[in-house]
Amino acid sequence: MDFIISFLSTPAVLLGLVAFVGLIAQKKTGTEVLTGTFKTIIGFLIFSAGGSIMTGALQNFNTLFQKGFHIVGVVASPEAATALAQTQYALVTSCTLILGFIMNLVIARITPFKNIFFTTGHSLFFACVLSLIIKSYGISDVAAILLGGTLLGFFSAALPQLCQPFMRKITGSDATAIGHFNMIGYALSGYIGKLFSKHKDKTTEHINFPKWLSFFRDFLMGVAAVMLVLFYVSALKAGREITQELAGTQHWLVFPFVQAFTFAAGMSILMTGVRMFLAEITAAFVSISEKFIPNSRPALDVPTVFPFAPTAVIVGFISAYAAGLLGVLVMVVFKFPVVIIPAAHICFFSGGTAGVFGNSTGGWRGAVAGSFVVGLLLAFLPTILYPVYGSMGLEGSTFPNIDYNVVGILLEKILSIFH
């Protein structure tokens, strides 16, 4: 059981297996099968390494920002909340995860929702949300696993469908779907973008920067410049003592410089990995879908859309993070029982993706507006379910993603009717 759980919880291995089966189905030679399989695994591990580097830098930014501006509250980070949930409900969450993947395949086979969800980290987070809410009503482990696994499988197949009209527009293809549980938010961002449809040709990628800002046309240069400003503002506000504590042996004024460029380096690594594994997995998946689940498509993590509108990613991140900070202000002023602090890495990946979706239908205006609304939802939705998690022993962290919260709130309301 431990082996199976570990196996299914490792996206690189899972995608490598898919590539292996697909290449076998295409009757490729042994060398071609191994090459394609290994390239998929290596590409995804490069992609994951880039994501980890970026997340580490953003978590340092979180610390500096919160201490510098004296923001106290709950950090909306699913990683921390999952670690807490796994200590108490490991069996239920793990079995829900496995059953969820099986049910995803079944539902994709028998329904019009032909999406196979491969972002297993997000599946684990969703399994935790479902398990916590179901167990909060005293439901037995077996029943919780059956209900949670079925719901996880259904939403893994169905929610990417909301984004598919926009995915076809963004990528120019129907070959892949988004596999990231903010899909209600991304679709909403796409629809918000349509409000600015007459400006859709004025995209983020066609912004005419002044000559002295022309380096922003190079995506990585733009990322580095934006993060450099954000890190130095936060570090200077936090002060020497706090920044030096994070910096270790490095000088406290050098630390923000290195962190900003570390983030940009992580982005470069991530984009390289995306290009490498996406080419392999898409080709292999065609064969699998034709034989086993006709017309199906892989639902993959959000950085797969970043290359299509990289400037929109930065615009979306800034807009979503600004919305999150506005949310903090509103929660403090109106004395909310809990203040949700936006996590920079969540705002980057979720807000950045919302920016790409909004940009596809409404240009840069759609990118700004769509990601801003997504940022507000990431801030305010978690306040509704936080008391439920608190009653289950999760204090100090919560799940920010829109899909977790929308589905979780509906599930909690339905269960309360029958309790």
Side-chain angles (χ1 to χ4, degrees):
M1 178 60 76
D2 288 344
F3 169 78
I4 294 171
I5 292 169
S6 180
F7 189 82
L8 290 178
S9 300
T10 307
V13 175
L14 193 58
L15 286 167
L17 181 62
V18 170
F20 178 82
V21 172
L23 292 165
I24 292 288
Q26 293 178 57
K27 298 181 179 177
K28 297 287 187 180
T29 65
T31 302
E32 289 172 323
V33 170
L34 285 178
T35 301
T37 302
F38 288 177
K39 273 190 176 181
T40 302
I41 294 172
I42 293 167
F44 195 87
L45 289 173
I46 291 171
F47 160 79
S48 299
S52 297
I53 290 169
M54 293 166 66
T55 300
L58 286 170
Q59 285 171 340
N60 285 331
F61 171 77
N62 272 339
T63 302
L64 291 173
F65 191 91
Q66 288 166 40
K67 291 187 177 180
F69 290 90
H70 306 291
I71 298 174
V72 180
V74 173
V75 178
S77 172
E79 296 85 0
T82 296
L84 290 168
Q86 283 285 77
T87 59
Q88 293 177 289
Y89 303 100
L91 175 66
V92 176
T93 54
S94 299
C95 292
T96 297
L97 175 66
I98 294 170
L99 180 59
F101 186 73
I102 295 168
M103 290 304 297
N104 182 185
L105 298 176
V106 171
I107 290 164
R109 181 72 176 82
I110 65 175
T111 74
F113 304 131
K114 301 297 183 183
N115 308 293
I116 313 298
F117 197 94
F118 279 107
T119 314
T120 50
H122 260 236
S123 296
L124 177 60
F125 300 154
F126 207 171
C128 286
V129 170
L130 294 168
S131 299
L132 286 167
I133 292 171
I134 295 169
K135 288 299 293 179
S136 72
Y137 282 89
I139 294 171
S140 69
D141 286 357
V142 172
I145 291 164
L146 291 173
L147 177 57
T150 302
L151 289 173
L152 177 59
F154 173 77
F155 287 113
S156 296
L159 287 177
Q161 206 70 27
L162 295 176
C163 297
Q164 207 53 30
F166 306 105
M167 281 295 288
R168 286 191 287 269
K169 192 173 183 65
I170 292 164
T171 66
S173 165
D174 200 34
T176 60
I178 278 286
H180 193 266
F181 284 118
N182 273 315
M183 290 173 283
I184 294 171
Y186 303 146
L188 178 61
S189 183
Y191 285 114
I192 289 170
K194 287 188 175 184
L195 299 175
F196 306 92
S197 58
K198 65 180 180 181
H199 303 293
K200 65 182 179 182
D201 293 332
K202 296 179 179 178
T203 73
T204 53
E205 310 316 299
H206 296 123
I207 294 174
N208 292 316
F209 292 107
K211 193 172 182 180
W212 63 279
L213 284 178
S214 59
F215 69 92
F216 269 92
R217 289 176 184 167
D218 185 316
F219 171 56
L220 281 179
M221 297 305 99
V223 169
V226 169
M227 296 311 295
L228 202 59
V229 172
L230 292 176
F231 264 104
Y232 268 108
V233 167
S234 300
L236 292 171
K237 185 67 177 170
R240 178 172 183 168
E241 187 177 338
I242 290 170
T243 307
Q244 190 63 65
E245 189 179 332
L246 276 178
T249 56
Q250 204 169 58
H251 192 279
W252 75 281
L253 287 175
V254 175
F255 179 71
F257 182 88
V258 172
Q259 288 297 297
F261 282 93
T262 297
F263 179 86
M267 175 59 81
S268 178
I269 293 167
L270 181 143
M271 300 284 259
T272 301
V274 165
R275 286 189 287 269
M276 187 173 178
F277 89 83
L278 197 56
E280 299 293 333
I281 196 66
T282 303
F285 206 87
V286 170
S287 297
I288 293 177
S289 66
E290 287 173 352
K291 288 183 178 294
F292 305 111
I293 309 176
N295 302 315
S296 62
R297 65 180 75 84
L300 303 168
D301 207 350
V302 290
T304 53
V305 302
F306 287 3
F308 295 97
T311 306
V313 177
I314 298 299
V315 170
F317 163 50
I318 294 171
S319 183
Y321 199 67
L325 295 177
L326 175 62
V328 170
L329 180 62
V330 170
M331 291 176 211
V332 170
V333 169
F334 289 94
K335 295 182 170 57
F336 274 51
V338 59
V339 175
I340 303 296
I341 300 171
H345 64 293
I346 300 296
C347 288
F348 181 83
F349 290 105
S350 301
T353 306
V356 174
F357 275 72
N359 180 68
S360 73
T361 54
W364 67 265
R365 293 172 178 83
V368 171
S371 55
F372 190 83
V373 171
V374 165
L376 290 176
L377 292 174
L378 289 170
F380 286 104
L381 283 176
T383 63
I384 299 172
L385 284 176
Y386 186 73
V388 176
Y389 301 140
S391 70
M392 301 295 285
L394 268 73
E395 296 287 350
S397 191
T398 189
F399 299 89
N401 297 57
I402 294 168
D403 295 351
Y404 303 155
N405 284 286
V406 171
V407 173
I409 290 165
L410 290 173
L411 177 61
E412 201 273 332
K413 297 301 180 190
I414 291 168
L415 290 175
S416 68
I417 294 170
F418 297 100
H419 187 257

